[in-house]
Amino acid sequence: MKLVGISGSPRRGAVSAILLNIVRQLSGADFTLYESLLDLPHFSPDKDGDSVDSTVRELRNLVRSSDGIVICTPEYAFSMPSVLKNALEWLVSSGELNEKPCLTISTSPLPPGGDKAHKELRSVLTALGVKQATDNLLCIGATRKRISNSGELLDPSIEAELRSGVLALTNLITIPTNV
Amino acid sequence: MKNLITFLVLSLAILSSCSKKEETTKPGDSVLTHPIPPAKDTVLQEGVDRESGLLIDRARLRTPEHEKLLERFQPSEVVNIYHDFRPLRKPGLKPEDLDAFLKKKKINMEELKAILSEGDLLGWNKQ
């Protein structure tokens, strides 16, 4: 099983990337963590086509060759970071996310866990035709108290929730016709 | 004097009309005469077998013990065991069939229950 994790944070070493690394361990899958959102050019239909930027081509190939996607986003001003939305816009016309099994996670230092960004992300992904692994929103809040600066989980319930999310995604990939 | 008599007569009339009488109730004319039916456990009504833990139980919750049991499994193993057990997951499961399944999957009963619980919580029983 090949999975791609997309960290929605433009910041290196962000909580989103930490959580995706835990997902990588829990999944036991061939897992690629994509952290190059800042390298993508601003989306414009005028820039798309045969001469599209190599970074966009790389992202599209990565998503196309995967069995499923895991996106973890922080919340910026009640929304997902613009760099993540930009990446998703590059995947609209090329269609790599259509019917792609997807697990979404949001994270925030505040207790709601980035629920507003999460809902927005899922709305965008619905427009792109992804298959959501679970109806539940996996929002991980109060991260400063629950994850140490070195990336260690201080609250074991986070791992349990991530494991459930990974199971839901694995089930969707393995048993696709019944969903 | 006349006014006093009138007042007393009226007062007596009012008091007599307000006096508490022992009412004779007919059986069945009050909700209080009906026994309150016992509350129905809708989960049990659906044929849930809480004893064995092998049938669907919507009242399940994820527990730390249950999470611990799942730690040794890869996600794909959990998914496969859950779905492979579905044909056997019905009332009247023979103990020998259950034993054969556990042996084949190299798991114990508690691990099977944890996997079934997790799958149910994730809604796989509705697939």
Side-chain angles (χ1 to χ4, degrees):
Chain A
M1 187 169 72
K2 284 180 75 173
L3 297 178
V4 171
I6 299 177
S7 169
S9 174
R11 189 166 64 86
R12 293 274 171 185
V15 171
S16 295
I18 291 169
L19 294 175
L20 286 171
N21 273 315
I22 295 166
V23 168
R24 177 213 300 265
Q25 291 162 23
L26 293 172
S27 69
D30 175 0
F31 193 101
T32 304
L33 179 58
Y34 183 81
E35 287 187 283
S36 305
L37 295 177
L38 282 174
D39 298 339
L40 296 169
H42 281 170
F43 172 73
S44 165
D46 294 338
K47 294 182 191 169
D48 207 350
D50 294 339
S51 58
V52 74
D53 194 270
S54 62
T55 55
V56 176
R57 203 173 295 125
E58 183 191 338
L59 172 64
R60 287 174 172 173
N61 289 338
L62 197 59
V63 173
R64 188 182 299 119
S65 64
S66 70
D67 298 307
I69 303 288
V70 185
I71 301 176
C72 187
T73 183
E75 185 172 279
Y76 287 8
F78 287 177
S79 179
M80 74 178 97
S82 58
V83 286
L84 176 58
K85 178 69 165 33
N86 183 52
L88 296 175
E89 285 173 0
W90 277 115
L91 298 172
V92 175
S93 63
S94 49
E96 285 82 8
L97 282 175
N98 192 40
E99 298 285 303
K100 187 71 74 178
C102 186
L103 172 67
T104 52
I105 305 163
S106 62
T107 175
S108 168
L110 299 175
D115 60 329
K116 293 180 182 68
H118 201 146
K119 285 172 190 163
E120 187 185 61
L121 171 63
R122 287 179 74 118
S123 173
V124 171
L125 291 173
T126 301
L128 269 67
V130 307
K131 292 162 83 174
Q132 303 280 0
T134 170
D135 292 336
N136 298 328
L137 294 183
L138 189 42
C139 303
I140 298 177
T143 50
R144 288 195 182 124
K145 289 180 184 169
R146 303 166 77 198
I147 301 171
S148 74
N149 290 336
S150 58
E152 187 189 353
L153 291 186
L154 305 174
D155 179 355
S157 71
I158 293 178
E159 188 173 314
E161 289 301 320
L162 291 176
R163 181 180 289 107
S164 283
V166 170
L167 280 171
L169 180 64
T170 306
N171 182 66
L172 184 57
I173 293 168
T174 314
I175 320 284
T177 53
N178 294 329
V179 178
Chain B
M1 188 67 185
K2 199 172 183 180
N3 285 342
L4 181 65
I5 292 168
T6 307
F7 173 75
L8 287 172
V9 169
L10 280 172
S11 299
L12 283 170
I14 290 167
L15 285 171
S16 65
S17 68
C18 292
S19 68
K20 192 176 178 183
K21 290 181 183 174
E22 192 66 35
E23 291 185 2
T24 53
T25 55
K26 295 172 192 168
D29 71 347
S30 162
V31 289
L32 296 177
T33 63
H34 291 289
I36 297 169
K40 287 182 182 174
D41 185 333
T42 52
V43 176
L44 286 173
Q45 292 286 315
E46 290 169 10
V48 166
D49 177 2
R50 285 184 175 162
E51 285 292 310
S52 76
L54 295 175
L55 299 185
I56 294 164
D57 184 349
R58 286 168 182 79
R60 276 194 181 120
L61 292 171
R62 190 177 289 119
T63 64
E65 294 79 20
H66 159 170
E67 287 163 10
K68 199 82 186 160
L69 288 167
L70 293 177
E71 279 178 7
R72 82 169 180 93
F73 296 99
Q74 290 290 324
S76 56
E77 291 177 300
V78 174
V79 171
N80 289 333
I81 291 168
Y82 181 92
H83 290 288
D84 288 349
F85 190 68
R86 291 188 80 158
L88 300 174
R89 203 175 184 191
K90 53 195 174 192
L93 169 64
K94 293 176 185 167
E96 55 268 32
D97 290 340
L98 177 60
D99 287 344
F101 183 86
L102 296 174
K103 202 171 176 182
K104 185 180 168 190
K105 298 293 181 184
K106 295 177 181 163
I107 57 174
N108 62 39
M109 186 66 170
E110 292 310 307
E111 289 168 335
L112 176 61
K113 286 181 188 176
I115 288 168
L116 297 178
S117 291
E118 186 67 28
D120 290 350
L121 283 167
L122 291 169
W124 299 350
N125 54 306
K126 294 170 195 143
Q127 287 182 355

